[in-house]
Each structure stands twice: as C-alpha cells, then as structure tokens.
Amino acid sequence: MNIKEEIQSYLHELIELRRDFHSHPELGFREFRTSERISRFLEGIGLEVKTGFAGTGVTGLLRGKTGERTLLLRSDMDALPVTEDTGLPFSSENHGVMHACGHDGHMAMLLMTAKILSEHKDEIKGNIKFAFQPNEEDAGAEKMILDGAMQDPEVDAAMGLHLWSPLPTGSVGINAGPLMAASHYFYLTIRGKGGHAGIPHKAVDPISTASKIIESVQHLQTRELDCLEEPTVIMFCNIHGGTSPIIVPEQVELQGSIRFLHDRGDMVEKRFEEIISHVCHMTGTEYELKIVIGNRLLSNDPEMTDLVMDEARRILGPENICTNMRMMVGEDFAEFARKVKSAFYFLGTGNARKGTTYSHHHPKFNIDEDSLPLGVEFHIATALSYLRNF
Ligand SMILES: [Zn+2]
Ligand SMILES: [Zn+2]
C-alpha cells in the first residue's frame, strides 16, 4: 500500500471531519453528538462497534485476516470550558466550549486511519482496536477501561499521540521511560483557634502555620529527592482563610497538586504529610489532609518507543525528532500504559505563520491542518510495524 497517496486521496474528508468536530465541541462525559458521529462512521466502514464505555466512549474493532495480537489506538474526544477567540469560519457553535487542545484533530486522524486500514483488512496480521475515549482532561480513561474497553479481544499493546503546538509541524517528540507526570491533588485544612488580632497569644494562628507549611514542603524537591532523576513539583494553587484584618480565623484551607516524573510518589506524599504534621505540632494546630489521584505517571515502554522512533526517522528524518519530552503535565493515556506495553508521542502542529503556536487550552489555540495527514501516516505506519514485528 502507498500510504502517503492513499491519505492524500482522503485529505478533504480528513479536514472536513476535524472542522465538524471543531464546530461541535462537547465537555467531558457529555460527548453525545461526538460519540454518535464516531460510531456511525465506524459502522459505515464495517468495523465491529461497541458503545457506552464511560458513557460516551466508543471502540471499533478491525479484525485482520490472520494473527492473534490486538493493538489499541486511542484518541480522546472531549473539549474544554473555554470561549473560543480564533475567528475561524468553523468556530465553536457551542458557546463557552471549545476544542482548545487538539482532540478534534485526534478524532479525525484516528477515524481516517480506521477507514484506510479497513480497506486493507486482508493484508493485516492481527487486530486493531480504535478507542475513542471521553473526558481526557479529567482522567476518563480509567472508567473506560473498567467498562471493558481493553477486553474482548484482550489488548496486547497500545499507542496514542497528541498534537502539540510547542513543536513545529513536521516534527515529532517522544522518549522512553517517564514522559508525563503523575499529578495528585491535595486538600489541606489547618485548624487553629480564632481570636482578636490584637491579642494573638490567646489565639492559635492557622495563617502563619499555613505559610510555614508552604515553605517547608519545598525542601523535599531538592534536599530529599534528586532533582534531575526524580523531578517533583509541589504547587499550592488555592488558599482561603479569614474574613477581616482584625480577626485571627479558626481555619485555613489550602489546595494544590503534587506532580512527579518517577515512581517514588508514595515516599513524596509520606514526607509531605510528615512535614505538615511536624509544623502543626510546632504551632499547636491540627490538620486534615486528603490526597486524590488525578493522573498516574505515564511511562513509555522502550521497545514500543523504538518502534515509533524508527517510523519517525523514516517519515520525518532524524533531525525532526525531539527525544526529551518529559513534562509535568498529566495525561490519562497512563491508564492504558499501566496495563500493556505502550508508546505515547507528540506530533508537532506549531506554525507561527499560520498562528498555531498558542499554548494548549488558550482561547486562540488552533492546529496546523498540515499535521493531520502526518498523524494518519504515523498511526498507520506504527500499527502495521507493531503487528508485523511483535
Ligand atoms: Zn488539554
Ligand atoms: Zn489534550
């Protein structure tokens, strides 16, 4: 098969699909129209379609002629609560909701990949499961997997890609091992004793305690962890306490996130709580701490990474591969990657001339549509390579 030529013959449909998703964005777990559109498309090309994973999730199974292995290719489906300001003729028709992360492009690329590969069913050794996942922005993958998206048939490996505006169009980013951070959210309440600001020795001040905690926990990232090998970020993003300049409040509430690119997260959280406990002991306050898992660590399998790298060298040339993409942003593809050998990679879509270098989630965010056919090519090439070689 001549992949490039086949993709070119579907270029118009690919771009139309992306623009249709772009004008009709839907928030996480509410991707009803999107889900309908995807399942109709997959049925139309003759795949075995299943719906209802985490509500709106869809899978389409392509059974090859021979072979036992099943590869899962994943696209997310959700948009964001952002008011679009791109001025594009196909801007969001759903006010206050926008595809500001590129997931519209992800769906279009994966659907066209399914269409092209379905026309070559008889040459494919193994199965490909096309998975469309709801609510990536708030970790919908776990629910989709609990609903059986990786079963029947059992999935052996998974791959996914993200369009990425910080990388120029025509480049790709990937590395083996930790790629995207685990992000855990904490909710901390410090309780003291309220009183008069002019008689503070009769009160127990939760505000000065909170400030000591905010400072003290930063010790961890450099004095207890190797900042190069065990990158960790502790951010306080919300703090609330008090009502007036003359009253010591009863309590202070703090929220934030702990992010890490290594597998010693348990130790970080244990020490985080120990430091809080010690500071509270010192100031005579009490605390309550709740930590919730947002995203788990996304780590790429070395063999699957090599496979993507080989195709990237062939398609784009070695000079267009960025080999350190580690970042403190979370990505729930991690849930697939925990179960099977996986690779996740970034496809450049930044082009200053076309105004596509805004950061993800920005109201002016847009993708360079020239990256869409490349994404289809990557999906097809990496899937066929996996099924041929593993
Ligand atoms: Zn996003
Ligand atoms: Zn995204």
Side-chain angles (χ1 to χ4, degrees):
M1 97 174 73
N2 184 328
I3 301 179
K4 272 191 209 294
E5 270 176 25
E6 290 192 39
I7 298 169
Q8 280 307 314
S9 71
Y10 287 120
L11 192 57
H12 180 73
E13 190 179 358
L14 172 64
I15 289 173
E16 283 309 305
L17 263 175
R18 179 263 160 162
R19 293 184 178 185
D20 179 67
F21 287 127
H22 191 85
S23 343
H24 301 96
E26 295 173 295
L27 293 174
F29 291 143
R30 282 186 266 163
E31 306 92 337
F32 304 114
R33 179 192 182 274
T34 309
S35 174
E36 179 68 34
R37 180 91 220 259
I38 290 169
S39 42
R40 256 189 297 122
F41 187 100
L42 295 173
E43 276 159 13
I45 57 171
L47 300 199
E48 293 171 30
V49 178
K50 286 186 190 164
T51 58
F53 299 100
T56 48
V58 182
T59 61
L61 181 68
L62 175 66
R63 285 188 198 273
K65 199 161 191 182
T66 53
E68 293 288 301
R69 303 190 78 73
T70 300
L71 172 71
L72 179 143
L73 296 178
R74 175 271 214 169
S75 163
D76 33 23
M77 304 161 72
D78 54 323
L80 289 153
V82 171
T83 302
E84 179 158 1
D85 185 25
T86 59
L88 292 168
F90 51 89
S91 284
S92 170
E93 291 173 20
N94 185 1
H95 186 75
V97 182
M98 177 189 174
H99 270 297
C101 200
H103 302 182
D104 48 346
H106 299 170
M107 292 184 276
M109 290 187 292
L110 198 58
L111 287 174
M112 292 315 296
T113 302
K115 183 164 183 167
I116 293 171
L117 286 174
S118 71
E119 288 163 5
H120 294 276
K121 257 214 283 268
D122 294 347
E123 302 154 44
I124 294 172
K125 197 180 119 224
N127 308 315
I128 304 175
K129 190 180 268 194
F130 298 90
F132 293 84
Q133 178 218 304
N135 203 13
E136 186 284 325
E137 300 288 356
D138 196 19
E142 187 173 20
K143 189 155 183 358
M144 181 159 187
I145 294 167
L146 283 173
D147 285 349
M150 295 182 83
Q151 290 152 19
D152 192 25
E154 197 85 27
V155 169
D156 298 291
M159 285 198 273
L161 69 79
H162 206 300
L163 291 167
W164 205 239
S165 65
L167 285 178
T169 305
S171 64
V172 78
I174 186 170
N175 60 255
L179 179 76
M180 296 183 82
S183 55
H184 295 185
Y185 313 135
F186 63 81
Y187 302 84
L188 173 65
T189 303
I190 311 291
R191 291 205 180 85
K193 188 172 140 208
H196 196 294
I199 318 170
H201 59 285
K202 293 283 185 193
V204 177
D205 185 2
I207 289 190
S208 70
T209 306
S211 84
K212 285 182 183 63
I213 289 173
I214 294 170
E215 284 303 311
S216 306
V217 297
Q218 309 299 333
H219 184 93
L220 270 168
Q221 294 126 307
T222 49
R223 309 307 199 275
E224 297 191 29
L225 291 157
D226 180 332
C227 63
L228 292 177
E229 298 299 323
E230 299 167 317
T232 304
V233 168
I234 301 174
M235 293 296 294
F236 289 82
C237 301
N238 182 346
I239 171 161
H240 180 78
T243 53
S244 142
I246 55 168
I247 301 169
V248 177
E250 284 275 304
Q251 66 177 47
V252 174
E253 283 159 18
L254 305 112
Q255 296 178 4
S257 51
I258 302 179
R259 292 163 185 268
F260 45 93
L261 270 167
H262 54 86
D263 50 17
R264 292 215 301 150
D266 288 351
M267 170 271 182
V268 175
E269 285 171 5
K270 182 168 164 277
R271 288 290 298 138
F272 180 72
E273 179 156 11
E274 275 171 11
I275 294 169
I276 291 169
S277 161
H278 283 110
V279 173
C280 288
H281 181 73
M282 181 175 84
T283 60
T285 51
E286 285 176 356
Y287 75 93
E288 203 176 296
L289 175 66
K290 187 170 90 177
I291 298 182
V292 176
I293 295 175
N295 283 304
R296 294 188 169 86
L297 178 69
L298 170 53
S299 219
N300 272 339
D301 174 80
E303 272 186 305
M304 295 291 283
T305 305
D306 281 346
L307 181 157
V308 175
M309 290 263 214
D310 285 345
E311 294 306 319
R313 268 183 225 110
R314 197 178 55 73
I315 297 170
L316 299 172
E319 67 283 11
N320 292 310
I321 307 175
C322 174
T323 54
N324 184 3
M325 290 301 296
R326 295 188 304 162
M327 64 181 88
M328 284 297 178
V329 177
E331 161 63 58
D332 73 353
F333 184 79
E335 298 299 325
F336 296 97
R338 286 172 74 217
K339 308 259 179 214
V340 292
K341 289 162 93 76
S342 294
F344 191 77
Y345 54 100
F346 296 90
L347 190 67
T349 194
N351 184 332
R353 202 171 40 82
K354 294 185 185 173
T356 65
T357 52
Y358 285 98
S359 78
H360 289 250
H361 300 192
H362 189 282
K364 287 187 191 292
F365 175 83
N366 188 19
I367 58 167
D368 177 0
E369 288 176 335
D370 285 346
S371 58
L372 297 175
L374 273 176
V376 178
E377 189 174 353
F378 266 89
H379 274 315
I380 294 176
T382 53
L384 293 178
S385 167
Y386 170 79
L387 291 173
R388 240 188 348 258
N389 298 314
F390 279 78

